[in-house]
Amino acid sequence: MMKKIRIGAAQGFYGDTIEPAIATAKYGNVDYISFDCLAELTMAILLKDKQKDDNLGYTRDITTSMKALLPYVKEKGIKLLTNAGGINPVAAQQEVIRVAKELGMDDLKVAVVTGDNLIDQIDDLIAQGVSFNHMETGASIDSVKEKLKFANAYLGSMPIVEALKQGADVVVTGRTTDTAQFLAPLIYEYGWSVEDWNQLASGVFMGHLLECSAQSTGGNFSGDWEQVERVEEIGYPIAEVDASGEFIITKVGERGGLVSVDTVKEQMLYEIHDPSAYITPDVIVDLTQVKLENVGEHHVKVSGVKGKPKPDQLKVVMGYEDGYMGQVLMGFSWPDALKKARKADEVIRKQIEQKGLLYKEIHTSYLGYDSLHGPLAKEPSEDLNEVYLRMAVRSKTKQDAAQLGRLFPPLFLNGPPAAGGFYGNIPTRQLLGMWSALIPREIVESQVKIRVEEVGTYV
Amino acid sequence: MSNVLLKDMAQVRSGDKGNTVNIGLFAANEDMYKLFAKQVTADKVKAHFQGLVDGEVIRYEVPTIHAFNFILKDALNGGGSTSIRVDNLGKCFGANLLRMEIEVPEEVGV
């Protein structure tokens, strides 16, 4: 029989449930389980953790997910690949090792990939001629350089492949592309060369379909979403890939959800720009000839993915301090709920002015009317039963942001009638702006390091 | 000819990348795909999102799955981690596109 590699998805973001991945480990007959823990926003969250404690900066649910899944590494030989390392991959590796020790798995090999973190080298790299101009607007980095908090290049699959070659059972990385953990096992198992563009592209696309966990198996599905079975115990996707790169997306029967052309195609374009040039460090993927076919219940066959040579540059995403947000919620009741809430907004805006509070932006929306649709929401034709006024401000300092909440309580006695349900103590949030730029790949690749540690010998 | 909301004939999914939102718009069949091709243009989408999207709108075509991918620039109040909007990740932009109405000839049906 022709060899097939089965890869299961474990997590689509930091905080995603691990239960479906456990079911995949138990029933899915998979060889690998791959995680994508890092959204753009996640790096900002992890940075805040690391600012509080230098040993943090990785996705902390790695502890529970490893406790749940490491036993299957031993029992079934499933390998686990994760970018949970975030901005502190070595600390994440140590945490995996600690959990493995607790489980008595002394012979487990845990690898860590480093080298994506460029925050301490920005000045040096600029001196070497890397412009770090914004890749979309072309703007100079000067305006944000002093406020940078993190800067990570997106690594591809190759360091993970190397870790697998060195015998790793678990590979922990920092910032990789979302798909790197999914493609790597295929390169390793099938021995694809770095120029097998179509195969590599197919592997990346498979990763893309799996990286957002249940978004391929009926989660966040805009089609017949009411027909998706057992959403409360939804399953995560599994890909069965052959040596040519063609694959089938499926899931375990023990979990709910739906795998169909309709669920898979929604994920196909998710967060992609030009479908003929989905750029990754390993290959540029062309999705314009992809064919999706239902080939059985919960089985979708994917073919026709094309690849083009990989780019000369890697993407770097940096986060910079961009002030603070304060926000407040206050409810208003029928009759004239929306009118009352609007009046309250007017009152607060006037008081902000009177008190001379300096906000860069004041944003008002009404929960129950336009908070998700903004200016596209249609004015309600009937009087709403209730509506929440939500105000948010952007300010330079945390103190200014916090001031907003203090303006609201007097409204109960001094403002429009019948207000209820006040949420004034929402903590202020530090805002982080994102700066994307390109860097010649050799600069990053020359500093990537792979270290494999055996649990029993780790000091 | 009747006016039909995209809500009643299409699938969508949207997401963020920096300050840009993408919306995948999926037609159920070839006939509808052709209708969308003519009527759900980049210009029309740009006009539809007035007040929410400040930048350029680009449309890409993926005929093998009867889909379009719309790129909406300057759409997220700076981007997910700096936006002060409620939908800071653009997850509802797809739903917002479903508010668009197009003209459907009787023979296509919905």
Side-chain angles (χ1 to χ4, degrees):
Chain A
M1 221 178 86
M2 226 168 69
K3 185 172 167 178
K4 307 258 192 200
I5 301 298
R6 284 171 68 91
I7 298 170
Q11 245 184 324
F13 66 98
Y14 179 15
D16 207 353
T17 174
I18 196 70
E19 299 293 326
I22 298 170
T24 291
K26 263 190 202 165
Y27 310 114
N29 190 26
V30 293
D31 308 290
Y32 293 84
I33 291 183
S34 299
F35 295 67
D36 174 29
C37 306
L38 303 178
E40 270 181 10
L41 197 66
T42 315
M43 297 303 261
I45 295 166
L46 297 178
L47 170 77
K48 290 175 197 174
D49 270 3
K50 193 161 187 286
Q51 282 172 335
K52 286 178 210 145
D53 180 346
D54 214 34
N55 295 313
L56 297 177
Y58 57 90
T59 63
R60 284 194 268 176
D61 53 0
I62 195 172
T63 308
T64 45
S65 52
M66 288 297 147
K67 270 185 189 158
L69 291 176
L70 284 180
Y72 297 98
V73 174
K74 202 168 188 179
E75 273 173 51
K76 302 194 170 190
I78 299 171
K79 291 177 190 282
L80 307 176
L81 313 177
T82 178
N83 59 1
I87 52 174
N88 199 354
V90 173
Q93 180 204 29
Q94 285 168 358
E95 180 60 10
V96 176
I97 287 170
R98 193 190 64 75
V99 173
K101 272 198 169 143
E102 222 174 80
L103 296 172
M105 301 175 71
D106 282 354
D107 54 350
L108 191 82
K109 291 196 172 91
V110 184
V112 63
V113 174
T114 55
D116 59 300
N117 194 340
L118 306 176
I119 189 67
D120 296 328
Q121 302 165 252
I122 297 299
D123 287 325
D124 283 354
L125 291 168
I126 289 172
Q128 280 175 48
V130 180
S131 82
F132 289 122
N133 287 344
H134 196 284
M135 62 186 274
E136 278 166 30
T137 65
S140 159
I141 194 169
D142 291 350
S143 58
V144 302
K145 198 165 78 74
E146 300 311 318
K147 297 184 282 185
L148 287 181
K149 300 304 286 183
F150 67 84
N152 296 75
Y154 280 66
L155 303 181
S157 293
M158 290 309 170
I160 306 172
V161 175
E162 183 53 36
L164 291 172
K165 282 183 183 163
Q166 291 181 27
D169 298 298
V170 180
V171 183
V172 180
T173 70
R175 182 79 262 186
T176 59
T177 57
D178 301 346
T179 55
Q181 291 74 236
F182 297 85
L183 170 63
L186 301 174
I187 299 174
Y188 170 65
E189 296 277 349
Y190 289 130
W192 290 343
S193 95
V194 294
E195 293 190 351
D196 284 341
W197 305 120
N198 288 343
Q199 284 93 325
L200 295 173
S202 204
V204 167
F205 184 50
M206 177 275 291
H208 176 71
L209 294 177
L210 266 60
E211 65 167 278
C212 293
S213 65
Q215 282 204 148
S216 284
T217 51
N220 190 22
F221 176 47
S222 81
D224 287 334
W225 60 271
E226 288 172 291
Q227 303 303 316
V228 178
E229 286 176 10
R230 294 187 288 148
V231 177
E232 68 284 358
E233 47 177 15
I234 204 161
Y236 284 167
I238 294 170
E240 184 175 273
V241 193
D242 68 28
S244 76
E246 285 191 4
F247 59 94
I248 284 172
I249 300 282
T250 184
K251 66 175 189 67
V252 294
E254 286 78 0
R255 300 283 297 190
L258 172 68
V259 182
S260 69
V261 164
D262 283 348
T263 63
V264 171
K265 75 185 184 192
E266 278 193 21
Q267 179 58 19
M268 179 166 158
L269 299 180
Y270 181 69
E271 292 180 351
I272 274 181
H273 283 198
D274 180 353
S276 72
Y278 172 36
I279 302 169
T280 79
D282 297 301
V283 59
I284 295 175
V285 183
D286 179 355
L287 298 173
T288 56
Q289 295 170 65
V290 165
K291 261 179 68 185
L292 304 176
E293 297 163 81
N294 284 314
V295 292
E297 198 188 2
H298 302 304
H299 281 71
V300 171
K301 187 181 169 191
V302 181
S303 58
V305 188
K306 301 291 175 203
K308 296 180 253 192
K310 65 188 176 193
D312 297 330
Q313 305 195 82
L314 299 181
K315 182 173 165 181
V316 182
V317 172
M318 312 186 211
Y320 60 92
E321 287 177 338
D322 198 20
Y324 290 83
M325 173 171 92
Q327 67 171 318
V328 175
L329 298 177
M330 190 175 212
F332 290 89
S333 76
W334 181 92
D336 298 322
L338 189 53
K339 253 188 219 165
K340 292 172 190 167
R342 281 178 167 150
K343 182 66 188 178
D345 172 63
E346 194 187 307
V347 169
I348 295 293
R349 282 179 183 258
K350 281 186 181 152
Q351 291 179 347
I352 285 171
E353 214 179 293
Q354 286 159 5
K355 292 187 188 305
L357 287 167
L358 295 175
Y359 294 134
K360 291 185 194 165
E361 187 184 351
I362 304 170
H363 182 79
T364 302
S365 60
Y366 301 92
L367 274 63
Y369 160 45
D370 71 351
S371 70
L372 298 176
H373 289 245
L376 278 65
K378 282 201 181 107
E379 187 79 17
S381 54
E382 281 178 33
D383 195 6
L384 298 171
N385 284 308
E386 59 186 60
V387 73
Y388 266 83
L389 165 66
R390 187 250 187 193
M391 291 187 80
V393 292
R394 184 192 301 281
S395 67
K396 208 167 174 180
T397 68
K398 195 172 174 170
Q399 289 73 15
D400 284 352
Q403 284 297 323
L404 179 72
R406 297 187 194 135
L407 300 178
F408 277 77
L411 277 183
F412 280 109
L413 307 187
N414 306 344
F422 169 59
Y423 298 89
N425 298 324
I426 303 171
T428 60
R429 205 174 81 195
Q430 187 185 35
L431 299 171
L432 283 169
M434 292 292 156
W435 190 271
S436 302
L438 296 170
I439 185 170
R441 63 188 306 144
E442 316 80 64
I443 293 179
V444 177
E445 286 173 353
S446 65
Q447 65 180 34
V448 169
K449 285 196 175 61
I450 298 124
R451 217 172 61 167
V452 184
E453 306 289 348
E454 195 165 314
V455 170
T457 59
Y458 193 79
V459 281
Chain B
M1 206 65 96
S2 56
N3 288 332
V4 181
L5 282 172
L6 286 180
K7 165 178 96 69
D8 295 319
M9 52 194 310
Q11 287 176 232
V12 285
R13 178 171 291 167
S14 57
D16 72 308
K17 197 162 271 181
N19 198 14
T20 300
V21 168
N22 99 293
I23 306 174
L25 172 70
F26 306 88
N29 55 48
E30 183 75 24
D31 286 345
M32 285 188 193
Y33 177 73
K34 284 179 183 158
L35 278 183
F36 291 3
K38 276 196 199 125
Q39 297 189 53
V40 193
T41 60
D43 285 347
K44 206 171 154 198
V45 170
K46 166 86 182 157
H48 182 76
F49 278 95
Q50 198 174 14
L52 205 51
V53 173
D54 295 331
E56 180 192 9
V57 171
I58 303 167
R59 184 182 83 173
Y60 294 102
E61 296 168 19
V62 194
T64 57
I65 57 161
H66 301 138
F68 297 95
N69 194 31
F70 291 93
I71 306 303
L72 285 56
K73 295 188 177 176
D74 262 332
L76 274 183
N77 194 231
S81 57
T82 193
S83 167
I84 62 170
R85 286 189 198 153
V86 175
D87 182 22
N88 64 324
L89 295 173
K91 302 282 185 196
C92 302
F93 274 63
N96 248 334
L97 182 60
L98 295 178
R99 292 172 174 277
M100 188 186 280
E101 219 172 47
I102 66 167
E103 286 185 350
V104 180
E106 303 304 332
E107 63 271 19
V108 173
V110 176

